Amino acid sequence: MPGMTTEGLTPDAIDDLARRARDGDRAALEDLLTAVRPRALNVCRGVLPYTPDAEDACQEALLNIATKIGSWGGRGRFTTWMHVVAVNSARTTYRRMRNQAAATDAIHLEKPDPRTTSVIAGTRLDLLEAMETIERDHPQLVEPLLLRDVYGMSYEEIAQQVGAPLGTIKAQIHTGRKLARPLLRGNP
């Protein structure tokens, strides 16, 4: 299946590849990674608008998918699980870049140039910073909030992915939104 994309495969076909890959079929794993790469890259671009940063995060996501595919339970769609892995990889990449920028800033004692330092050039930095702040005291709120408000996943998909009751997910998202509003730029 060289050159295939998720557009060419049904959700059932992707799930079948994932099951075979999870069970140790190396060829299925390679086909699966090829098939889901465009989708993983789009997820990472949603968090990291600078393309090279998103590509780094996508590579990390694909590596995580390959090494942790055994943790996909097979209850829900593989692409839902992959979506969460990609979001987490993008957030990890953002944190690493932010920490590197802070270390460089401390060494040079000057602000990084926003035209050359991609970690501070994106439009979603206020959202990422808000999620970091919320995560310190309420880590359970961040994943459902990002999956719903950034990626537009349904409440039902999120509940299935997170393994929590639908009502709990709705309450977590509501609380997360309430906490995020004052942290976002342009909000009172």
Side-chain angles (χ1 to χ4, degrees):
M1 292 187 223
M4 74 182 160
T5 64
T6 53
E7 292 81 29
L9 293 176
T10 66
D12 289 339
I14 291 172
D15 288 350
D16 180 58
L17 270 177
R19 279 186 201 88
R20 291 182 10 229
R22 184 187 62 198
D23 294 341
D25 182 336
R26 302 225 14 107
L29 178 62
E30 290 301 319
D31 290 343
L32 178 67
L33 294 175
T34 299
V36 299
R37 185 187 184 288
R39 187 173 186 153
L41 182 57
N42 284 337
V43 168
C44 292
R45 280 186 182 135
V47 176
L48 299 164
Y50 185 63
T51 299
D53 298 341
E55 288 171 350
D56 287 347
C58 180
Q59 286 301 97
E60 182 179 325
L62 293 175
L63 180 62
N64 287 334
I65 289 167
T67 58
K68 298 177 181 175
I69 194 163
S71 67
W72 174 57
R75 292 184 317 260
R77 290 285 182 199
F78 174 80
T79 51
T80 303
W81 179 83
M82 181 232 58
H83 199 103
V84 172
V85 172
V87 167
N88 290 335
S89 296
R91 291 182 65 221
T92 298
T93 299
Y94 168 75
R95 284 185 197 116
R96 183 179 66 247
M97 292 170 53
R98 184 189 64 202
N99 292 340
Q100 288 171 346
T104 301
D105 190 33
I107 292 169
H108 292 101
L109 299 175
E110 61 185 57
K111 291 279 184 199
D113 183 347
R115 295 167 297 174
T116 59
T117 308
S118 62
V119 72
I120 62 172
T123 58
R124 294 195 180 256
L125 293 183
D126 59 340
L127 176 63
L128 290 170
E129 290 298 328
M131 294 303 105
E132 292 288 316
T133 300
I134 292 169
E135 190 170 42
R136 284 185 213 123
D137 295 324
H138 309 283
Q140 75 283 4
L141 302 179
V142 174
E143 185 177 352
L145 184 60
L146 283 173
L147 293 175
R148 178 68 185 147
D149 288 354
V150 175
Y151 295 101
M153 291 177 72
S154 72
Y155 291 109
E156 292 80 10
E157 286 178 306
I158 297 166
Q160 185 176 28
Q161 178 60 40
V162 175
L166 182 60
T168 300
I169 292 301
K170 288 181 177 182
Q172 288 175 334
I173 291 168
H174 174 74
T175 302
R177 286 174 177 160
K178 215 159 79 172
L179 294 171
R181 265 185 220 109
L183 299 172
L184 299 173
R185 287 186 208 140
N187 288 323

